[in-house]
Amino acid sequence: MAREIAEQPEAVARTLDQLRPLRPELARLAHGTRHVLFVARGSSDNACVYGRYLLETHAHRMAALAAPSVATHYRAAVDLSDTLVICVSQSGETREIVETLEWATAQGARTVAVTNDGTSSLARAADLTLVTHAGRELAVPATKTYTTQLAAMAILATSVAPDPHALDADLARVPAEMAQLIERRDGVDEAVEALAATTETLVTGRGLLLGTSLEIALKLEETCLRPVRGLSYADLRHGPIAVVDADMAAVVVAPQDGPVLGGLTEVAVSLRERGTRTIGIGGDDAFARACAVRMPGPNLPEPVAPLAAVVPGQLMVEALARRLGLNPDSPRGLSKVTQTDG
């Protein structure tokens, strides 16, 4: 896992370079559609959360996350003739995702596969495939396959945006920002000690970085065998914050700028006032002061920050697993390709 975290800057750079020329083809495929529907599970689902927010805030296209059981269990007849359906699977062999893509095609949708294997069943079934160039991933927890999926989401969203090149300069800086975060590891050891001191953890964020928060929560659960809740801070404030106390650690993920930063800083203050061990990722100086421990995020604007903002969380999870005497490469009861019941 540690080696694959370190491979991410090159993997993301390769993926961006390989997928950028597909923008015109993506734009042609999407032309005439009104909606975008994402289909995924696990880490891929978290990548799609970013894709949804970027499509809506940057490309001004409505998007949503699908419930695959509508296709695989209920066999619902839904008119998707005005919909671009994006099916995401690292292996491209998760049968539920492949079946949902086939169902979407039968309902009139235009389909895109996002996968790390261009020869997979998912890739063969789609109208167009965005192949992530992560290389082979051996550790069960997804790291470089996840961040290359984020790169694919950025290419997808920009391809249908009014100006497809508006984010290119910022996207070009992503690999260097990732490399710096991996090399410096600022705050990682302190964060690990804070998390090791408690068995209860909450992870929160909002907006374009909500998917990052959910991904870090998932990684803590599957790699460190901890029960973890991943929530938007808006949902946290609507009730769950009542159970937050000094026996819990909270990870708050924030961009360095943007409209949700102020609210996330307020949440960090509120959590710390409740005695919670508050670990911040990203943010600005005011956010850092609100947290007990802070790991700097990337120096990137909010629309592209998710491609690198997950890195401190990945480093924290890998180190915490080892601190707890666990094998981060092979969590208990998990395999690389997960199959559901359809």
Side-chain angles (χ1 to χ4, degrees), residues 167-182 184 186 209 254-258 261 281-285 294-312:
L167 297 181
D168 280 357
D170 292 324
L171 286 170
R173 296 196 295 115
V174 166
E177 289 293 321
M178 296 177 85
Q180 185 176 69
L181 292 170
I182 292 166
R184 295 181 62 175
D186 289 346
L209 282 165
Q256 69 170 7
D257 58 13
L261 175 57
I281 297 178
D284 60 4
D285 290 343
R294 188 250 192 153
M295 294 181 285
N299 180 25
L300 294 168
E302 187 181 14
V304 302
L307 276 73
V310 73
V311 168

Side-chain angles (χ1 to χ4, degrees), residues 237 241 244 265-276 278:
R237 283 175 159 172
I241 199 167
V244 174
T265 302
E266 292 175 6
V267 165
V269 170
S270 178
L271 290 169
R272 196 169 182 184
E273 288 174 348
R274 291 170 178 266
T276 308
T278 307

